[in-house]
Amino acid sequence: MMFAAGTLAVLVSMALALARALLGPTIYDRIMAVNSFGTLTVILIAVIGFLSDRPSFLDISLVYALINFITTIAIMKFFKYNRIGRRSGEDLGGL
Amino acid sequence: MISVHFPVLLVLVPLIAAPICLLLRPLPGATWAIATAASWFCLYVTVSLLFRVLDSGTISYLLGNWAAPWGIEYRIDLLNAFVLVIIAAIGAVVMPYARASVTREVSPRRIYLFYTMFCLNLAGLLGIAATGDAFNLFVFLEISAFSGYTLISLGRDRRALTATYRYVLMGTVGATFYVIGIGMLYMMTGTLNMMDLAARIPAVAQTRTIHAALAFLTVGVGLKLAMFPLHTWLPNAYTFAPSAVTAFLASTATKVAVYVLIRMYFTVFGGAEIFEMFPVRETLMVLALAGMFAGSFVAIFQENCKRMLAYSSVAQVGYMVLGISFATVTGLAGGMIHLFNHALMKCALFLVMGCIFYRISSVKIADMAGLGKRMPLTMAAFVVAGLSLIGVPATVGFVSKWYLVLAALEKGWWPIAALIVASSLLAVIYIWRVVEVAYFRPVPEGAPEVTEAPLSLLVPTWIMVLASVYFGIDASRTFEVAHAAATLLIGGGK
Amino acid sequence: MQFPGLFNYWIAIVLMMAGFYMVMAHGNLIKKIVGLNVFQVSVFVFYISMSKIKGGTAPILEPGFEVYSNPLPSVLILTAIVVGVATTALALALIVRIHDAYGTIEEDEINAQESES
Amino acid sequence: MSPQVTMQLALAAPLLGTVLIVLTGHRPNLRETVTLVTAAVMFLLVASLVPEVMAGGRPEVVFGNMLPGLPIALKLEPLGMTFALIASFLWIVTSIYAIGYMRGHHEQNQTQFYAFFAVALFSAVFVAFSGNLLTLFLAYEILSVSTYPLVTHHRTPEAKRGGRVYLGILLTTSIGFFLFAIVWTWLAAGTLDFTDGGILSGKVSDTVAGVLLALYVFGIGKAAVMPFHRWLPAAMVAPTPVSALLHAVAVVKAGVFSVVKVAVYVFGVDFLHSLAASEWLQYAAAATILLASLVAMTKDNLKARLAYSTVSQLSYIVLGAMLATEISVVGGGMHIAMHAFGKITLFFCAGAILVAAHKTEISQMRGIGRVMPITTFAFLIGSLSIIGLPPFGGMWSKWYLALGALDAGKQAMVAVLMISSLLNIAYLLPIPIRGFFCEPDDNPGHGAGVQEAPWPCVLALSVSAVGCIVLFFFPEPVYNLLAGMFAR
Amino acid sequence: MAAAAIGMIRLRNLFAVVMLSGIFSLSAAALYVVLDAVDVAFTEASVGAGIATVLMLSTLALTTTEEAIKDHRNMSALVVVLIAGAVLIYGTLDMPFYGDPMAPIHLHVAPLYLRDSIVATGVPNVVTSVLASYRGYDTLGETTVIFTAAASVMALIGRGRRKVKHGVPEGAPSHGYSSMKPHPILRVTAKLLIPAILIYAFYVQAHGDFGPGGGFQAGVIFGSTFILYALIFGVDNTRIAIRGWVRRTMMASGVLIYAGTGVAALLLGGNFLDYSALLHDPVHGQHLGIFLVELGVGVTVSGSMITIFLIFAGQDR
Amino acid sequence: MVALIVDVLSWALILGGGAFCVIGAVGMLRMPDVFTRMHAAGVVDTAGLGLILIGLMLQAGFTLVMVKLALILVFVLYTSPMSTHALAQSAVSTGVQPLLADGANNQKDKEDEPSKT
């Protein structure tokens, strides 16, 4: 029951995050939304695992968290250094 | 003892050869040797399998020793044995050719990758043909497709890239359609094994799901086999790929897709009944005829010889599909014979293109002026193979035409027979354009001195040419196999 | 989370078609690949949907559970996902090459360049 | 030697000759000796088969199956015997002529010329010997393809155009119609063997048989029934020996030979006679005879005129076959022989005039008879033979054809033959007459240096001209041979 | 998911599209969990959301992020899509309902897996046992596909290809995926994290028999460790840490281990991939076989992932 | 008794976490600019995720599951600030200005094209 409530809450949040990702307006909003979405998915899967009595599925959550992190780092690097292909040669300073 | 495992070895050997080739990066020569050895081994294995199947009927090999519907089964009947021999034979002939040709057309740093990919492609194609499991087929379809993409993209012209890209898109969509179709079949039957599917489909044959599955399988495989109007990836891909690749792919990849179509229709869906139930026959026939004419017509107007041959392939695929659409023993046998025959002659023609490219670095028809004098053996090979494409007797092209016309007449559809004949005449026009340029146009001023292609290219080319003449004069053997296989399939594939 | 009847399949189909549309209609090469991804993932969803049994659980045998969903589609889709990512990698590599060679990744611009040459 | 072995040897000889010709290509004298020897050997081999056939023998050779149930087979019968005999004999004559012509005219690629010539002869005799329709078709197509390089020998744009038309029409008709008909026949009759009395009788409805007959007659494009005759004038771009042997003898005769053969051994005379379609095809043949003659009159180029004359004459033979009586078929068969000698003489002369006087147009040939009397005289003999006047061989075949027409109750066809003869006179005789009786032009460009053509040319055309006369006096062997078709 | 998909169609900014495709993939994975396909969810999470997104980003970095504006004349595409969709919907009409335990797929073939696999192989995760043993041959194919893809990427954009035309001029400073030197927090964190992730990868590899996971997922995680390393410490350092020949050997040897296991079974008298022949006790043999092939998958996948990423990331030099 | 307390506690935690998630998400949607939205996103990452995971941990008891949950928690708590930091920094460095009180900034004009600066 409470897992269901938790699931519901997370789903609502995911919908909102998705809305932000779609609305933008800047790239950073989208990145942030994706990041949050990932986190929420982590929670969701964890909760669902409990919901269906198979908590051993947590591995998936763990991988999500990891991958989400890597993705975010990659996005950051992408924006930091390769904004539009390689045409921008200027150094934007340390991250 | 080891021969018990031939069905799997023929896929496994090139599959294992591929990573070894990758590891032997510093020794391109060794990678060539391994790939060649693997392809020759496959030829030996497939031929011995064919004879065994002829002797003692269908061979079943259980991978992992799991019983058929649960594990994956390799099932070699006459049809696959026939197709396997074609693939392996083409592979074995192209490999020795590849050495010189590839050195010239592929960047030296990628040669080891070329052979890796070649082995994978061979393994993939053989795997498609050998397997008795619908999903396993998909996996190997993708192996062959991936390596095929890469092989094509190794061409030096930048258009090879866009051609490959288009091929990737269409090929993947085709494969995905195939997966959807298989999914629907699985959903209704609970099995993926082809024989098991064949046994279980009749019970649910009237459901709409099965109809949709059939549609998706047809479109998916149609994309792979470049059935008109799904052929748009093919011309550029064949034009800009390295010559050895074009020769190999043109004579095997689409053929294997045709095989899959035959297998799906006649084994899985149980043969002739589906042709009565849906407008399958009409659709296939119209598409096949349209492909035959459209392909040939477009071929006539090409300036690039390889491209011309590629369009001709589209047309020739039409013949095979037409043969299938008759759904009679003769028609199917005709389609299968054409599958074999077209493999021989197209391989020969593309090998000739490779020889020409080797010397003059171009395959534009205009650049081939005067080649009849300067590369007499090469051009003679072109003429003979071209005559075969036209369907002159004593060549393989004649034999296939004979059976297709016969099949059409057997059904009493003489207008279709007339169309078959008419479309084959278009081949006269496009082949002869090249011949006239090569023999009648004088060598242009200031053209570089050109001599005959080296023996390592000529010998494989002429092997294919002579094979296409030999099997044109003595067609009984191919016919017997094809006919027996067709009888087997029409009879329900038991 | 239990949809009635065939609803689940229809969702998958709508998604498939969205992806397919992206492949067909868009001129940007990367977007085509994204579309292809969507298309494939939807097919996977379609497969996985059919494996589910009401009241079943994941096919990892454990005491205390009786009904398990069908493991076979999972197996197939695992393979298919791998194929999918391989396609993506290959296609993206191609796009990089195409961009090098043509300076654009728009289909019509490439076609224009090709017809010139 | 058994006849079977002889047949195979006769076929092997020109192929072996081809190889030798290619190998000796750098030494012209040796090469031409090889050609002559090959031709002679082949003729002797073929000739040695005559007694066997006269005695009613039908030697057969079966090679492996090309398609299951369809072997490549040889079978010798009177019609084929006649054709093979003529073709191989005239090859000797033409070879002699060719040596003079090619050297005199300084042609290029002579090795290639002789080599393909031998291949063409091989296929012509292969056609003659063929034992079933499939083999016939095979040989027929080899003949088409192997003569293409000969037609386009000059490699000029005109040669290319001519070659295009030549191969285009021959392949289109043969694959489009002929093959189609063969497959249909195979389906209906279950066999393609040439059998006395035909194989189709009773197997197909009259309508289908009619369609098939039309497919055969028009499909065998080499028979040049209008409207598929265009290739023959187009082929005149070839060097004259090619025109002479191939387009007066081997190729076109292979065509009409095939038509006769189909008529006799596939349909059977009786069945054919009962078909309404044969009557329509008689009209087609008659129309070709007359139209081609009329066209011939308008041509100023000598070879073109001869080509249209050939078109016209070929339809005599088709007509003979379509009349479908024994006597008309024999007449047709004889016309193969008679026309061969007549027309080859005319072509030899045309070539000789070209070599010696460099003239191709009839209007330039005034007074040519004064400087080239032998040639012009031979031309006269050939013309008269074609027209069908005694004492020349051409008379007999027309005679039998007319008899056959009467036999079939087709008086109209007799009239056609008569009118055609008149037209022949109109377009052939003016040439020698002009040559003998008109004053030469006062064109300074020629006249002075002109003399007879090189001696091999003259020899050859004399031999063939004499042949025309000999055949008038001794037609019995040919007649007896051909009558053997219906002996059983 | 539908929203994400439609958003992807509408948006022209490719970067946003890629982001959305990541979201799409994530939600698909969540859905898989709901639908009891945990192994699939695992894979989708690591591949669809992770690797594919990173690769797409790399490509964007190398090309452009904006889609050109053009008038849409896509009616034909729409028609084709609608036809295909209609056929699909038509096909669904006779399908068994979602979740129906009496559907054919639950009655044929699959029950046997659920019943027998534990006895025959001793592996409780049926997906793993089917994957590695019953349909082990498919998985060999799958491994080969990944191998092929990596080799293809090597062939296409591996080092040694021609110099690019549209890049920075020679000698200009390149800032691509060079190291993140100025950023100590990341570096320290990464140094702590990476060993942990590696251990976790081994756990996933070994634990695949009992829970979700297995060679493929482990391979991806292993590979992503190096991707993380490359992101933070620079591609060049990574190339030093794991050299080209090591990567190639990994790619190749995985396939060879897999095929070799099969061949070993074949030499020991069984059929190809018949692990029961490996040891005297068939169940142990199966277990060993499954372990070995999973190892093979893991090795190839990690090698391939690293190779692909490094090639993409190393493009701009 | 203890079990009941643990249950109740974990309920509260999970519900609370769910509430934080929603709050954070609403915040993400409603806040005016990137930086403030980031602030809201932080709520999801820390409070939402943390509370829910702790709640789950209480449910799981001292098992491997709990260890994994703890790992996830540590991991996210570790990485989330990092990525937020990185995000903010790159946003600033590429020229996105925080929305100031006087509203002088015209954020809306820069949709999706910050990179063109």
Side-chain angles (χ1 to χ4, degrees), chain B residues 373 387 393-394 398-399 402-403 405-406 409-410 414 417-418 421 425 432 436 439-440 472-476 479, chain D residues 65-68 70 134 137-138 141 148 152 155 160 164 167 172 175-176 179-180 182-184 186-187 192:
Chain B
K373 267 253 162 68
L387 287 174
F398 170 74
V399 178
W402 173 275
Y403 279 105
V405 172
L406 191 66
L409 287 177
E410 227 174 44
W414 59 267
V421 166
L425 288 172
W432 231 253
E436 283 182 353
Y439 284 97
F440 295 106
I473 292 175
D474 183 12
S476 1
F479 176 77
Chain D
N65 278 1
M66 178 164 166
L67 304 170
L70 280 178
L134 188 71
F137 185 66
L138 171 65
E141 294 290 34
Y148 174 79
T152 57
R155 308 271 169 90
K160 189 167 85 175
R164 244 186 227 174
L167 202 67
T172 307
I175 294 179
L179 174 62
F180 196 55
I182 293 175
V183 177
W184 205 333
W186 161 248
L187 196 69
L192 291 177

Side-chain angles (χ1 to χ4, degrees), chain B residues 135 139 142 146 149 158-159 161-162 164-166 168-169 172-173 176-177 179-180 182-183 186-187 192, chain C residues 9 20 29 32-33 39-40 43 47 50 70 72 76 79 83 86-87 90 95 101-102 110-111 113-114:
Chain B
F135 196 82
V139 175
E142 287 294 2
F146 273 56
Y149 304 148
R158 66 174 182 171
R159 280 169 291 182
L161 299 171
T162 44
T164 315
Y165 184 82
R166 198 164 298 151
V168 169
L169 273 192
T172 311
V173 169
T176 313
F177 269 45
V179 171
I180 296 175
I182 292 297
Y186 175 65
M187 192 175 235
L192 291 166
Chain C
Y9 301 131
F20 193 33
L29 302 185
K32 275 176 188 284
I33 294 301
F39 186 33
Q40 288 182 323
V43 175
Y47 260 76
M50 65 170 120
N70 195 330
L72 193 51
L76 305 182
T79 308
V83 172
T87 315
L90 181 70
I95 291 173
Y102 292 85
I110 292 170
N111 288 343
Q113 286 192 29
E114 279 190 357

